[in-house]
Amino acid sequence: MFKAIVSAATLRDALDSVSVLVDECKIRLNEESLSIRAVDPANVGMVDLTLDAAAFESYEAHGGVIGVNLSRLEEVAGMAGAGDLIHLTLDEETRKLNIRIDGLSYTLALIDPDSIRQEPDIPDLDLAANIVLEGTHLDRGIKAADMVSDHIRLRVDGAEETFHIEAEGDTDDVDLSLPPADLISIEAGAADSLFSLDYLKDMNKAIPTDAEVTVELGEEFPVKLHYQIAEGMGTITYMLAPRIQSD
Amino acid sequence: MFKAIVSAATLRDALDSVSVLVDECKIRLNEESLSIRAVDPANVGMVDLTLDAAAFESYEAHGGVIGVNLSRLEEVAGMAGAGDLIHLTLDEETRKLNIRIDGLSYTLALIDPDSIRQEPDIPDLDLAANIVLEGTHLDRGIKAADMVSDHIRLRVDGAEETFHIEAEGDTDDVDLSLPPADLISIEAGAADSLFSLDYLKDMNKAIPTDAEVTVELGEEFPVKLHYQIAEGMGTITYMLAPRIQSD
Amino acid sequence: MFKAIVSAATLRDALDSVSVLVDECKIRLNEESLSIRAVDPANVGMVDLTLDAAAFESYEAHGGVIGVNLSRLEEVAGMAGAGDLIHLTLDEETRKLNIRIDGLSYTLALIDPDSIRQEPDIPDLDLAANIVLEGTHLDRGIKAADMVSDHIRLRVDGAEETFHIEAEGDTDDVDLSLPPADLISIEAGAADSLFSLDYLKDMNKAIPTDAEVTVELGEEFPVKLHYQIAEGMGTITYMLAPRIQSD
């Protein structure tokens, strides 16, 4: 049993965070929250989304898992105006999700959850550095890196408590240097890792530029990015595996 | 003899309504109005446009027919700002149309009207249902249907006096239900017909979202759509042939 | 030695004026000004740009020439917001240009100036007509000409002191007629030349629509276009070779 009403903006922010990594996903309809965990086909990027019942106008669920085609669901949510409410009702018998927006009723065929990639375990990692910054700064660093390379280096200069977003191209280099004054907070620690830029670009697409993004970073370790949606009632965690630094 | 001055907005609205169906058309330069009738090459969609002399700043015509390349004429009209006036003058000798916009003079070669498809007769039909709605609602229904199918079903629920825009896809279904409160008016009657979505999408492109659209609908019969431009001094009628309902 | 600070808007206006003609260029770092002269590979269009030291927030140069990839430099300048300042510093040893925008540091590899096409001499020409008009009028004439032809004719009607931008297509013709009332000034004289529209379109892309453009025109002679950027502290001259008029 699942029945919920949610603002179009909240549903779209939630779906966007997952759809940048995968086309299909399992949605867990827990009593206290809706949650999604997914990993991209290459096992490089993971996402963990939790949307609390309080993020909905109304929410009723008694457990269970559904499988959905994300781009299709996003397209339907895209029919709603920014202020519209979206009504979601699961028909247990037909295994279809009814989506109602004003007078518009859309009946979405679900996907057998067993046919969808298994949900990943997102490991607890003890990462030495913790940086909190605005999405707009992360966005700037990623765009700059993209001019010269398809890899991006995230690094903390412990002495200066400065977060660096860097890239080395064949001829040109880029370094966005973010001192404490440009950060919301920083706990400096040994942190220097290289990542595939494509994945970070995809994750960045979903992160609102005005979001507070928490970056957990280590030495040649995965990076974790956390941000919130729906006024804090939705939380998203990305984890991205590192590339081996060749130099 | 033909000489007219018209606002860029009115000329563009008029041309758009025809160019969504055909590339070339005959324009009848009657004394009281300018009119165009055209049918697409597959004989599925027709348009009938009348622009009264009163829709022009000035209008002088003594009958006659000219053939025009619509996309070319639209491109020229596109050179005008929204508030600009467009001066049209037919040169009978050279069979060219002079189009003047401010200091810009464009000389358009006309097409021999005999080389253009014959104008269709748009039949009088006795259609049981008559629905008047805002263009924005029609637009919403067409966009929704387009997510699941390349056919669209227009239907009136007589008991509830509700107009339905529906589509059935291979797995998903859509139903935009418009009760009397969402309509400007409805005369319910036996009305349920299926149409090619491509044609209706094309017609919808030309219909302003704030237009009042009158829909005349029957049982497996063509649909007629009427709307006005130029503050009521221009009227457009589309007629679209039905598809046979397979179910 | 070269060290300068310049507003993003000024740098972008300057680079745009050159990049419409060539991909790489030499930049002369004179004591009093930065200057660029370039000619397109077909020797048809030339540009001469001078940006006075006063156009910079700060400027220090002791002569010398650097070679740059323009599209790359424009891409980096594009990372700056409209109000941002761009810091340029030449590293003489590595022959790299450091570009700093806020906390972002970009290290641009330079090109050996000897590998870049030689700078053209832009000849003094005694052109009979001199027309000053707003960029927006030139833009309109070029867009209109582009509808019918890939050549454009610039012509002065001496008797009426009117500047004509014309094009003859296979079937259609265009004539934008600009009488003294639509011009900032005109010195009429024998002037009638035909040009390749592609080049003029490219130059026009760089000319701001609110710029005052001075057109020097003769009889089957090159045309010169002058305009200013950076509140008069930057001047740009284009010269375009004529096409032989066949009629």
Side-chain angles (χ1 to χ4, degrees):
Chain A
M1 195 278 185
F2 171 64
K3 217 173 151 160
I5 304 175
V6 63
S7 80
T10 294
L11 185 60
R12 285 199 286 245
D13 283 349
L15 297 176
D16 283 354
S17 71
V18 182
S19 67
V20 294
L21 285 185
V22 293
D23 297 328
E24 302 178 343
C25 72
K26 299 181 200 182
I27 303 182
R28 297 205 168 263
L29 306 167
N30 312 310
E31 284 192 32
E32 304 298 327
S33 68
L34 176 157
S35 68
I36 301 175
R37 266 188 298 130
V39 58
D40 86 285
N43 267 307
V44 173
M46 296 179 191
V47 60
D48 186 0
L49 160 79
T50 304
L51 205 55
D52 292 344
F56 295 76
E57 296 296 308
S58 86
Y59 183 89
E60 225 180 319
H62 300 147
V65 180
I66 58 175
V68 300
N69 176 320
L70 274 168
S71 60
R72 180 47 66 103
L73 187 51
E74 283 189 300
E75 203 182 352
V76 181
M79 292 291 297
D84 284 354
L85 291 178
I86 299 181
H87 296 244
L88 303 167
T89 312
L90 178 63
D91 185 325
E92 306 266 9
E93 269 177 45
T94 60
R95 295 304 296 169
K96 296 202 171 186
L97 184 68
N98 182 264
I99 305 154
R100 196 157 56 71
I101 304 163
D102 218 345
L104 180 69
S105 168
Y106 188 105
T107 306
L108 177 77
L110 297 173
I111 300 170
D112 177 0
D114 293 341
S115 74
I116 297 177
R117 268 176 90 69
Q118 224 183 317
E119 291 156 291
D121 285 318
I122 300 204
D124 268 335
L125 297 172
D126 195 15
L127 297 164
N130 186 301
I131 306 108
V132 184
L133 78 171
E134 278 175 50
T136 185
H137 282 122
L138 187 63
D139 181 61
R140 191 161 177 248
I142 290 171
K143 286 212 170 75
D146 197 30
M147 287 195 285
V148 302
S149 179
D150 47 10
H151 292 89
I152 188 167
R153 185 180 177 190
L154 304 180
R155 183 171 71 82
V156 169
D157 178 327
E160 304 200 350
E161 295 198 314
T162 295
F163 179 46
H164 289 269
I165 303 177
E166 300 175 345
E168 267 182 50
D170 290 337
T171 59
D172 297 355
D173 301 330
V174 153
D175 173 9
L176 176 63
S177 166
L178 295 163
D182 287 344
L183 301 170
I184 296 164
S185 73
I186 181 164
E187 291 172 29
D192 186 345
S193 300
L194 193 71
F195 302 97
S196 158
L197 191 49
D198 275 348
Y199 281 90
L200 210 53
K201 275 162 66 179
D202 284 343
M203 292 170 177
N204 182 51
K205 271 180 216 156
I207 301 177
T209 50
D210 63 352
E212 277 192 25
V213 184
T214 301
V215 180
E216 291 183 67
L217 194 68
E219 294 267 10
E220 309 221 2
F221 247 74
V223 65
K224 282 191 174 183
L225 303 172
H226 312 271
Y227 68 99
Q228 298 191 318
I229 58 170
E231 293 168 20
M233 292 174 293
T235 59
I236 288 140
T237 296
Y238 286 120
M239 193 175 92
L240 177 60
R243 302 286 305 229
I244 302 309
Q245 302 208 26
S246 48
D247 54 1
Chain B
M1 194 279 179
F2 171 64
K3 216 173 150 159
I5 305 174
V6 62
S7 79
T10 293
L11 184 61
R12 284 199 286 247
D13 283 350
L15 297 176
D16 284 354
S17 72
V18 182
S19 67
V20 294
L21 285 185
V22 293
D23 297 328
E24 303 177 342
C25 72
K26 300 181 199 182
I27 303 183
R28 298 205 166 263
L29 306 167
N30 312 311
E31 285 192 31
E32 305 298 326
S33 68
L34 176 158
S35 68
I36 301 175
R37 267 188 295 131
V39 59
D40 86 285
N43 266 309
V44 172
M46 295 178 191
V47 59
D48 185 0
L49 159 78
T50 303
L51 204 54
D52 292 345
F56 294 77
E57 296 297 308
S58 88
Y59 183 89
E60 226 181 318
H62 301 147
V65 181
I66 57 175
V68 299
N69 177 320
L70 275 168
S71 60
R72 179 46 66 105
L73 187 51
E74 283 191 301
E75 203 182 349
V76 181
M79 291 291 297
D84 284 353
L85 290 178
I86 298 181
H87 296 244
L88 304 167
T89 312
L90 177 63
D91 184 325
E92 304 268 9
E93 268 175 45
T94 59
R95 296 306 295 169
K96 295 201 171 187
L97 184 67
N98 181 264
I99 305 156
R100 196 157 56 71
I101 304 164
D102 218 343
L104 180 68
S105 168
Y106 189 104
T107 306
L108 177 78
L110 297 174
I111 299 171
D112 177 0
D114 293 341
S115 74
I116 297 176
R117 268 177 90 71
Q118 225 184 318
E119 292 156 290
D121 285 318
I122 300 205
D124 268 335
L125 297 172
D126 195 16
L127 297 164
N130 186 301
I131 305 108
V132 184
L133 79 170
E134 280 176 47
T136 186
H137 282 120
L138 185 64
D139 181 61
R140 191 162 177 247
I142 289 170
K143 286 213 170 75
D146 196 30
M147 287 194 287
V148 302
S149 179
D150 48 10
H151 292 88
I152 188 168
R153 184 180 178 190
L154 303 180
R155 182 171 71 80
V156 169
D157 179 327
E160 303 200 352
E161 294 197 315
T162 295
F163 180 47
H164 289 268
I165 302 177
E166 300 176 345
E168 268 183 49
D170 289 338
T171 59
D172 297 355
D173 302 329
V174 151
D175 173 9
L176 177 62
S177 165
L178 295 163
D182 287 344
L183 300 171
I184 296 164
S185 74
I186 182 165
E187 292 171 31
D192 187 345
S193 302
L194 194 71
F195 302 97
S196 158
L197 190 49
D198 275 346
Y199 281 90
L200 210 52
K201 276 162 66 179
D202 284 342
M203 293 170 176
N204 183 50
K205 271 181 215 156
I207 301 177
T209 50
D210 62 352
E212 277 193 25
V213 184
T214 301
V215 181
E216 293 183 67
L217 194 67
E219 293 269 7
E220 309 220 1
F221 247 75
V223 64
K224 281 189 176 185
L225 304 173
H226 312 272
Y227 68 99
Q228 298 190 321
I229 59 171
E231 292 167 22
M233 292 172 295
T235 59
I236 288 141
T237 296
Y238 285 121
M239 193 175 93
L240 178 58
R243 302 286 305 230
I244 303 308
Q245 303 209 21
S246 49
D247 54 0
Chain C
M1 195 276 182
F2 172 64
K3 218 173 149 158
I5 305 175
V6 62
S7 79
T10 293
L11 185 60
R12 285 199 286 245
D13 283 350
L15 298 175
D16 284 353
S17 71
V18 183
S19 69
V20 294
L21 284 186
V22 293
D23 297 329
E24 303 177 341
C25 71
K26 300 181 199 182
I27 303 183
R28 298 204 168 263
L29 305 167
N30 313 310
E31 286 193 30
E32 305 297 326
S33 67
L34 177 158
S35 68
I36 302 175
R37 267 189 296 132
V39 59
D40 85 285
N43 267 307
V44 173
M46 295 178 191
V47 61
D48 186 358
L49 159 79
T50 304
L51 205 53
D52 293 343
F56 294 77
E57 297 296 308
S58 87
Y59 183 89
E60 225 179 319
H62 301 148
V65 180
I66 57 174
V68 301
N69 177 320
L70 275 168
S71 61
R72 181 46 65 104
L73 188 51
E74 283 190 300
E75 205 183 349
V76 180
M79 291 292 297
D84 285 353
L85 290 179
I86 299 181
H87 296 244
L88 304 167
T89 312
L90 177 64
D91 185 326
E92 306 268 6
E93 269 175 45
T94 60
R95 297 305 294 171
K96 296 202 171 185
L97 184 68
N98 181 263
I99 305 155
R100 197 157 55 72
I101 304 164
D102 219 344
L104 180 68
S105 168
Y106 188 105
T107 306
L108 177 77
L110 296 174
I111 300 170
D112 177 1
D114 293 340
S115 74
I116 296 177
R117 269 176 90 69
Q118 224 185 319
E119 291 156 291
D121 286 317
I122 301 203
D124 268 335
L125 297 172
D126 194 17
L127 297 164
N130 186 301
I131 306 109
V132 184
L133 78 171
E134 280 175 48
T136 185
H137 282 122
L138 186 64
D139 181 62
R140 191 162 177 245
I142 289 171
K143 286 213 170 74
D146 196 31
M147 287 195 287
V148 302
S149 179
D150 46 12
H151 292 87
I152 188 167
R153 184 180 177 190
L154 303 181
R155 183 171 72 80
V156 169
D157 179 328
E160 304 201 350
E161 295 198 314
T162 294
F163 180 46
H164 288 269
I165 302 177
E166 300 175 346
E168 268 183 50
D170 289 338
T171 59
D172 297 355
D173 302 330
V174 151
D175 174 9
L176 177 62
S177 165
L178 294 163
D182 287 344
L183 300 170
I184 296 164
S185 75
I186 182 164
E187 291 171 31
D192 186 346
S193 301
L194 194 72
F195 302 97
S196 158
L197 191 49
D198 275 347
Y199 282 90
L200 210 53
K201 275 162 65 179
D202 285 341
M203 293 170 177
N204 182 51
K205 271 181 216 157
I207 301 177
T209 51
D210 63 352
E212 276 192 26
V213 184
T214 301
V215 180
E216 292 183 67
L217 194 66
E219 292 267 8
E220 308 221 3
F221 247 73
V223 64
K224 282 190 175 182
L225 303 173
H226 312 272
Y227 68 99
Q228 299 190 320
I229 59 170
E231 293 168 21
M233 292 173 293
T235 58
I236 288 141
T237 296
Y238 285 121
M239 192 175 92
L240 178 59
R243 302 286 306 229
I244 303 308
Q245 302 209 23
S246 48
D247 55 0

